[in-house]
Amino acid sequence: MAGAKRTLPVKARAASTLCLTHVLAVALGAALFVLFASVVLPSGFGRGVGDRLSRSWGAPTPPGQTGLEALSRPTPTGPDGAPLVPAPVAAGWQLGVVDYAMPDFETPLVFAAYVENGTDFYLYAQGTLVLFSGSTAPDLDVKACSAGGEHMRLADRWNNVFHCKSHRPLRRGEPLTLVYADETAAGGLAAVDSKAAFDGLVDVPSAGAPKYYTCASTQVKNTDYLADWLAYHRRLGVDHFYLYDNSANGTVGAALAPPRPDTDVLVWPWRKSQQQANSHMATLGRARCHWVLFSDVDEFVFVKGATGRGPAPLRRLLAQREAAGKQQVSLYRLEMGSSGVLRKTDAPLAETYTKRRKGKGLWLNYKSAVLLKDAIPYSRVHFFDLRVKPLGFNWAFIQQWDEMQAMVEWDWFKVWDPRGHIVHYSTKSWSEYIAKYSGDLNGMIPNIGFERFNYTVDSPPSFWPAFGGVYRDTAFRNYKRRIDKRDEPEPMLVIN
């Protein structure tokens, strides 16, 4: 309770031990990640799959009349003069039967499907690949896809996402799943349990159809910071949002009810499924979006430069990079600290958290915006493979890091890039931090000593005021204040 006597068994040593344990755990994980990729994986691992992907998808789409001139093009309209807009996402949209009493994420399950043209379909699964799911069960040796019990060709896969080819038009209502090798099953093959079936809807991108110039896609579990994130990125130039509701009971959709016309909510309650959600968006979005920004709701795009009148900053940035021949833009992510905040507030993140580190640990990974027409629809969470040079299966891309950064089609922003970066509020308040990590609730980071040192919501560690840095940085807060005063721009649409 508030004001209760703290019962830390060892004060300074406990605090330093917890910090050190956290740092060492992250460092050890990163070291093992790189070691596995460089030593355990053979040289060139995954390139065969990359070559197969390249053959499967063919050459990248030639550049059209896009780029800076797109900013001044009129909005496409129909015969009645009304703006032409992409089709909304139909209710359900082949996401499978939603069951919130889902099995553990280790259990193999096909939970969603996407049918693109009646013969090409994608399956989104869990528990088929140990390397990325954390499962202790063996990998499934997936041999084929299945529609209505009939085997279909598996064209390619990436982790728990599978691209299937049907030799006939799919029939409405038939179940869709995967087939894997099983010595105990009749014929040596067994089907993965599935909640997905073809609902009769197909989604064919057509020439001359309108697309939103800039979309944003995110997977959301709670709505605490969602409204501010949406409002800010609308003013920054995002034309349409696709929210994958990852809550345990559909709270995201309920919180936005009724959603604005620029927001689609897709029910997606499956655990450890961000990679699958992003991959799903890469197929769903091809008929609807030109650029897509993939970001979390605690990540804000900081586009340096104009904040007053003129083109929306993100829209202008992407148009400039497209005019320069770029197909993907990856922005470095700057990590903000706790600012010593103990309990969650209702204030916007940028107003609450204004302190960070100055040296090591300040920058961590990237987030990206990608031209969907040039991307292979298998997400690596932080970026996509481009059709011009697929990188291969699993961790093969680690061995190709230098090649990736040398690709002329891929724009990698650097540390303190004058064009901008992502501001990431990952730590937040102590109450949110302990709720997220003390019980391994997110399935990623283990308990690192909360119970051992008797840390509770009401008894934070002495180092918390300095956790994540003490250097005051209000640059983004001030920038966001100016952006928040802008009028929302009209949606920008382009003809494919």
Side-chain angles (χ1 to χ4, degrees):
M1 65 181 65
K5 182 180 179 181
R6 294 177 57 184
T7 57
L8 304 183
V10 183
K11 295 183 179 178
R13 186 173 64 187
S16 61
T17 301
L18 180 57
C19 277
L20 182 60
T21 302
H22 197 170
V23 171
L24 288 177
V26 173
L28 179 60
L32 290 175
F33 184 90
V34 174
L35 178 64
F36 182 88
S38 60
V39 177
V40 178
L41 297 181
S43 176
F45 177 78
R47 291 179 186 268
V49 174
D51 293 340
R52 180 158 56 87
L53 291 176
S54 183
R55 292 194 299 271
S56 173
W57 288 100
T61 305
Q65 291 186 345
T66 51
L68 291 176
E69 76 281 357
L71 297 178
S72 58
R73 265 188 267 158
T75 298
T77 58
D80 59 355
L84 293 174
V85 297
V89 177
W93 197 263
Q94 306 167 106
L95 296 185
V97 177
V98 175
D99 180 0
Y100 288 108
M102 297 293 293
D104 187 273
F105 67 90
E106 296 183 355
T107 303
L109 176 74
V110 173
F111 55 73
Y114 181 89
V115 179
E116 186 170 52
N117 54 24
T119 55
D120 276 77
F121 62 101
Y122 297 82
L123 299 179
Y124 305 87
Q126 66 173 34
T128 64
L129 189 67
V130 173
L131 187 62
F132 286 84
S133 71
S135 172
T136 57
D139 289 341
L140 291 188
D141 183 11
V142 177
K143 298 294 188 182
C145 306
S146 172
E150 188 176 352
H151 290 186
M152 304 292 178
R153 182 167 69 90
L154 175 61
D156 48 62
R157 69 173 290 184
W158 165 245
N159 291 353
N160 285 304
V161 178
F162 301 82
H163 178 200
C164 308
K165 294 273 192 180
S166 175
H167 52 263
R168 58 165 174 79
L170 296 178
R171 294 185 285 267
R172 184 185 180 91
E174 63 181 344
L176 305 174
T177 191
L178 299 166
V179 176
Y180 65 98
D182 183 354
E183 295 180 354
T184 66
L189 296 173
V192 177
D193 288 342
S194 176
K195 294 183 177 296
F198 179 43
D199 60 6
L201 298 173
V202 295
D203 207 22
V204 184
S206 58
K211 292 183 180 182
Y212 298 109
Y213 188 71
T214 307
C215 299
S217 178
T218 188
Q219 180 173 282
V220 191
K221 282 189 177 181
N222 66 68
T223 59
D224 291 343
Y225 305 106
L226 179 58
D228 184 53
W229 184 86
L230 289 169
Y232 170 77
H233 286 91
R234 282 189 183 105
R235 291 178 170 86
L236 209 65
V238 172
D239 303 302
H240 203 87
F241 297 89
Y242 295 88
L243 309 181
Y244 285 75
D245 184 349
N246 196 229
S247 64
N249 52 9
T251 56
V252 174
L256 294 176
R260 286 179 45 155
D262 69 352
T263 305
D264 279 297
V265 179
L266 297 91
V267 179
W268 196 269
W270 301 283
R271 192 180 178 203
K272 287 193 175 183
S273 59
Q274 185 178 17
Q275 179 256 335
Q276 294 95 314
N278 288 359
S279 299
H280 183 271
M281 179 59 206
T283 50
L284 178 78
R286 280 209 299 259
R288 296 168 172 81
C289 304
H290 193 61
W291 284 95
V292 177
L293 168 70
F294 290 89
S295 171
D296 296 336
V297 294
D298 59 0
E299 297 171 336
F300 290 73
V301 180
F302 185 0
V303 181
K304 304 290 183 67
T307 56
R309 296 181 178 179
L314 179 59
R315 183 181 293 171
R316 181 195 61 202
L317 174 67
L318 294 179
Q320 289 173 339
R321 304 325 302 147
E322 184 176 2
K326 305 303 180 182
Q327 300 170 8
Q328 185 161 223
V329 175
S330 295
L331 296 91
Y332 233 136
R333 198 171 62 179
L334 182 146
E335 302 292 318
M336 299 300 290
S338 71
S339 296
V341 178
L342 295 179
R343 291 189 176 272
K344 181 184 176 298
T345 73
D346 293 329
L349 292 171
E351 297 292 331
T352 305
Y353 304 98
T354 56
K355 294 182 180 179
R356 59 167 175 81
R357 297 180 178 91
K358 289 189 70 175
K360 294 181 179 179
L362 176 59
W363 300 93
L364 182 63
N365 222 313
Y366 290 83
K367 282 300 178 70
S368 301
V370 65
L371 283 170
L372 288 189
K373 67 183 180 64
D374 295 314
I376 292 176
Y378 304 118
S379 170
R380 298 181 189 266
V381 177
H382 296 276
F383 56 84
F384 280 81
D385 284 23
L386 298 176
R387 283 193 285 165
V388 68
K389 185 177 176 59
L391 300 172
F393 191 55
N394 289 349
W395 287 346
F397 72 91
I398 292 293
Q399 296 178 317
Q400 303 172 57
W401 191 258
D402 291 340
E403 296 177 49
M404 289 165 55
Q405 298 217 323
M407 291 173 61
V408 297
E409 300 85 2
W410 197 334
D411 201 355
W412 293 88
F413 282 30
K414 306 301 181 185
V415 171
W416 296 123
D417 197 298
R419 297 168 294 177
H421 55 261
I422 298 282
V423 179
H424 186 204
Y425 299 95
S426 59
T427 302
K428 306 182 188 68
S429 68
W430 169 248
S431 63
E432 293 168 280
Y433 187 86
I434 197 171
K436 182 177 182 179
Y437 293 127
S438 62
D440 187 26
L441 298 181
N442 69 338
M444 296 175 65
I445 299 180
N447 185 320
I448 55 177
F450 295 97
E451 295 180 2
R452 176 184 174 192
F453 298 122
N454 295 323
Y455 295 146
T456 67
V457 172
D458 296 313
S459 61
S462 59
F463 62 79
W464 186 253
F467 193 76
V470 296
Y471 178 76
R472 186 170 174 80
D473 182 351
T474 59
F476 176 69
R477 183 201 67 182
N478 297 338
Y479 172 87
K480 183 176 180 295
R481 286 176 176 177
R482 295 192 294 272
I483 292 294
D484 288 345
K485 293 178 181 178
R486 288 180 61 118
D487 293 333
E488 291 183 11
E490 291 295 321
M492 178 174 157
L493 296 110
V494 295
I495 297 297
N496 188 33

